[in-house]
């Protein structure tokens, strides 16, 4: 039996194999964009210059020769969002996740530094916040989503880092402020509340991770017996993939993290330190000394006000863009694609999903330009390095059908708490992420 199987710690040879495999995967993915560029004068607008939009712009700039690629986004800062939990754990400074949008914009692309205020797909045009009208032949929606803290009565992002309130989602400074509040809680104990919203959300594993991180911090400081930790699940399970949900349930039980189900947070009273939840039995109040708030997440207003979202079904209420789950092409506007968090597909709101979505959407867009049918398909790949202790994680990878996928079979077992999975989260994923943003992976 290998040391990985016996102890969860890879031998030197096994770790080198893992590193080489990761490097080879990145290199080979980048080679896919080294094909001869297709001549084109198409006007391509990419709405949003986060991870998905920048990755798409860079990939298309290498696949097309002569196309006019326009990125529209007012955000000058770029954040490595998978690092927010590391900042929230006190392991990295806020600066660890900070860079700028401009350093990733391809040289042959135009960047309009303002938000899209209106989408008019019937006229093949968008209107920016300043009223500038930009026409296109193809539109790629990569707007990301909005964090709707205000839909929780009494809550706003300004409260993060005060009165026991944390939330790693709101940005680098919020993640650092969350750690400060959690650290004070770990020194004194009390009641800690965790949970997630009932909406679709980015990185659904992060709320689970932060409960694990808090529990481990308490344990390391010798104060675990002074704290009661409660995870309020929004539905009847802890995670959307049943086998993963059961594993987390078992780990929570082992570590004394109480789980309550079908609890959706609706209000908070910071002065009284009470959170209110909608439950099958009516409104329920829970007191806290520390709470990690995860807000409802929705499409940006400009998207919701357009014809582009789903018109019915489970993805319609919050404005997710209608998209074929395999090709990411809009079924009613065939020159429109959706990638990243805004895409209305059953899975895929992680940075790892973007890595697999962008090549598929690019293939189909370029295939339309060249008159060549693309055959690539997105299978719903989603990845979550689920931290379970500082220094241990489970690398959870799955598809639309909740099948577990193993990128490193024989080296990383998906439901085992491994040091090597932690190293991937803490060290290896960041360079892979930036390679993806530059269109190389």
């Amino acid at each position: 039996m290998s040391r990985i199987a016996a102890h969860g710690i890879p031998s030197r040879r096994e770790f080198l194999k893992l590193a080489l495999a990761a490097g080879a995967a990145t290199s080979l993915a980048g080679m896919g964009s080294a094909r001869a560029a297709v001549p084109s004068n198409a006007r391509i607008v990419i709405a949003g210059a986060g991870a998905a939009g920048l990755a798409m712009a860079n990939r298309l700039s290498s696949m097309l020769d002569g196309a006019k690629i326009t990125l529209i986004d007012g955000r000058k800062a770029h954040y490595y969002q998978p690092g927010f939990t590391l900042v929230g754990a006190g392991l990295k400074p806020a600066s660890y996740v900070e860079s700028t949008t401009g350093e990733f914009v391809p040289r042959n692309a135009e960047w309009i530094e303002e938000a899209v205020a209106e989408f008019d797909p019937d006229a093949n045009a968008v209107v920016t916040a300043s009223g500038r009208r930009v026409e296109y032949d193809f539109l790629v929606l990569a707007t990301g989503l909005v964090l709707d803290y205000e839909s929780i009565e009494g809550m706003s992002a300004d409260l993060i880092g005060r009165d026991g309130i944390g939330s790693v989602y709101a940005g680098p400074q919020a993640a650092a402020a969350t750690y400060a509040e959690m650290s004070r809680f770990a020194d004194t104990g009390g009641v800690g509340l965790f949970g997630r919203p009932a909406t679709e959300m980015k990185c659904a594993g992060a709320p689970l991770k932060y409960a694990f991180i808090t529990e481990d911090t308490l344990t390391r400081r010798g104060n675990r017996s002074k704290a009661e930790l409660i995870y309020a699940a929004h539905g009847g399970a802890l995670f959307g993939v049943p086998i993963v949900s059961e594993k987390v349930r078992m780990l929570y039980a082992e570590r004394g993290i109480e789980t309550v189900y079908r609890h959706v947070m609706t209000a908070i009273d910071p002065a009284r330190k009470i959170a209110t939840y909608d439950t099958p039995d009516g409104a329920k109040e829970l007191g806290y000394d520390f709470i990690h708030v995860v807000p409802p997440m929705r499409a940006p207003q400009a998207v919701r006000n357009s014809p582009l979202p789903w018109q019915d079904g489970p993805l319609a209420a919050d404005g997710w863009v209608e998209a074929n789950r395999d090709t990411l092409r809009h079924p009613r506007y065939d020159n429109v694609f959706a990638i990243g968090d805004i895409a209305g597909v059953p899975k895929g709101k992680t940075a790892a999903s973007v890595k697999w979505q962008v090549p598929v959407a690019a293939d189909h867009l370029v295939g339309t330009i060249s008159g060549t049918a693309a055959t690539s398909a997105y299978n719903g790949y989603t990845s979550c390095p689920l931290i379970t202790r500082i220094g241990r994680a489970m690398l959870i990878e799955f598809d639309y059908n909740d099948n577990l996928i193993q990128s490193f079979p024989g080296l990383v077992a998906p439901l085992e708490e491994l040091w090597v999975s932690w190293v991937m989260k803490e060290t290896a994923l960041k360079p892979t992420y930036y390679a993806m943003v530059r269109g190389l992976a």
Side-chain angles (χ1 to χ4, degrees), residues 44-47 56 60 136-143 308 321-324 327-331 333-340 342-343 357-358 360-368:
I44 302 170
V45 166
I46 301 174
M56 189 69 165
L60 289 176
Y136 60 79
D137 299 304
F138 294 92
L139 172 66
V140 179
L141 285 111
T143 60
L308 295 167
V321 172
E322 188 173 359
N324 180 286
T327 66
L328 304 164
R329 188 192 295 266
H330 200 289
Y333 299 96
D334 63 4
N335 63 338
V336 175
F337 293 83
I339 53 176
I342 193 63
Q357 289 177 355
V358 166
V360 171
D363 282 352
H364 284 269
L365 191 158
V366 174
T368 300

Side-chain angles (χ1 to χ4, degrees), residues 265-281:
M265 186 177 174
T266 58
I268 190 168
D269 185 336
R272 297 168 58 217
K273 289 192 172 181
I274 289 176
T276 302
Y277 296 84
D278 181 31
T279 79
D281 299 320

Side-chain angles (χ1 to χ4, degrees), residues 42-212:
R43 300 165 301 171
I44 302 170
V45 166
I46 301 174
L54 289 168
M56 189 69 165
N58 279 292
R59 195 168 187 91
L60 289 176
S61 70
S62 66
M63 296 175 72
L64 296 170
D65 180 14
K68 181 180 180 182
I69 300 171
T70 303
L71 278 159
I72 306 179
D73 197 322
R75 295 173 293 180
K76 292 178 173 58
H78 182 86
Y79 298 140
Y80 170 59
Q81 294 186 52
F84 284 5
T85 48
L86 297 176
V87 176
L91 299 172
K92 301 288 185 183
S95 59
Y96 173 76
V97 300
E98 297 174 340
S99 57
T100 63
T101 300
E103 63 195 89
F104 303 110
V105 175
R107 293 176 185 170
N108 58 345
E110 178 187 10
W111 175 25
I112 299 175
E113 297 181 45
E114 50 182 308
V116 173
E118 181 183 347
F119 293 92
D120 186 357
D122 292 307
N124 293 325
V126 301
V127 179
T128 70
S130 68
R132 178 176 174 181
R133 182 179 178 86
V134 183
E135 297 183 343
Y136 60 79
D137 299 304
F138 294 92
L139 172 66
V140 179
L141 285 111
T143 60
L145 49 72
V146 293
L147 305 173
D148 193 1
Y149 285 101
E150 286 70 22
S151 67
I152 299 172
E153 183 181 347
M155 181 63 194
S156 77
D158 295 338
L159 295 174
I160 298 169
R162 295 162 43 192
D163 301 320
I165 297 174
S167 180
V168 300
Y169 277 90
Q173 299 305 321
T178 296
Y179 173 68
E181 287 299 303
M182 187 269 279
S183 182
R184 282 191 281 272
F185 171 70
D187 283 338
T188 60
V191 176
L193 295 183
F194 308 84
R196 58 152 288 177
T199 63
E200 296 289 320
M201 61 176 291
K202 66 171 72 190
C203 193
L208 301 170
K209 296 178 199 179
Y210 210 70
F212 277 125

Side-chain angles (χ1 to χ4, degrees), residues 190-411:
V191 176
L193 295 183
F194 308 84
R196 58 152 288 177
T199 63
E200 296 289 320
M201 61 176 291
K202 66 171 72 190
C203 193
L208 301 170
K209 296 178 199 179
Y210 210 70
F212 277 125
I213 288 168
T214 303
E215 193 278 335
D216 192 49
T217 304
L218 282 158
T219 300
R220 288 167 181 266
R221 296 187 187 180
N223 292 328
R224 181 63 185 89
S225 62
K226 298 179 181 179
E228 178 186 1
L229 303 181
I230 302 170
Y231 188 92
H234 73 294
L238 288 166
F239 197 74
V241 179
I243 193 170
V244 177
S245 179
E246 178 60 13
K247 178 67 175 183
V248 172
R249 185 199 66 77
M250 293 170 62
L251 291 174
Y252 273 9
E254 287 175 10
R255 293 170 199 177
I257 301 174
E258 181 185 354
T259 302
V260 294
Y261 296 95
R262 297 181 177 83
H263 280 53
V264 178
M265 186 177 174
T266 58
I268 190 168
D269 185 336
R272 297 168 58 217
K273 289 192 172 181
I274 289 176
T276 302
Y277 296 84
D278 181 31
T279 79
D281 299 320
K284 181 177 179 181
E285 293 185 343
L286 294 176
Y288 64 85
D289 297 284
F290 173 74
I291 184 169
H292 182 247
V293 178
V294 183
M297 302 186 194
R298 299 185 169 89
Q301 191 69 44
V303 175
R304 296 204 304 271
N305 289 342
S306 78
L308 295 167
W310 284 94
Q311 303 300 295
D312 51 40
L315 297 171
D318 295 309
W320 308 115
V321 172
E322 188 173 359
N324 180 286
R325 59 186 269 168
D326 300 320
T327 66
L328 304 164
R329 188 192 295 266
H330 200 289
R332 291 180 284 116
Y333 299 96
D334 63 4
N335 63 338
V336 175
F337 293 83
I339 53 176
D341 293 344
I342 193 63
V345 294
K347 298 278 195 295
K349 286 181 172 38
T350 67
S353 305
V354 169
K355 181 177 180 292
W356 295 100
Q357 289 177 355
V358 166
V360 171
D363 282 352
H364 284 269
L365 191 158
V366 174
T368 300
I369 290 174
S370 65
T372 305
T375 58
S376 58
Y378 174 59
N379 69 352
Y381 178 87
T382 307
S383 175
C384 175
L386 186 56
I387 298 169
T388 56
R389 298 184 191 276
I390 304 301
R392 289 288 186 274
M394 299 187 298
L395 180 59
I396 308 299
E397 304 171 277
F398 52 94
D399 63 14
Y400 280 136
N401 297 317
D402 294 336
N403 298 312
L404 293 183
I405 297 171
Q406 296 187 57
S407 293
F408 307 100
L411 292 174

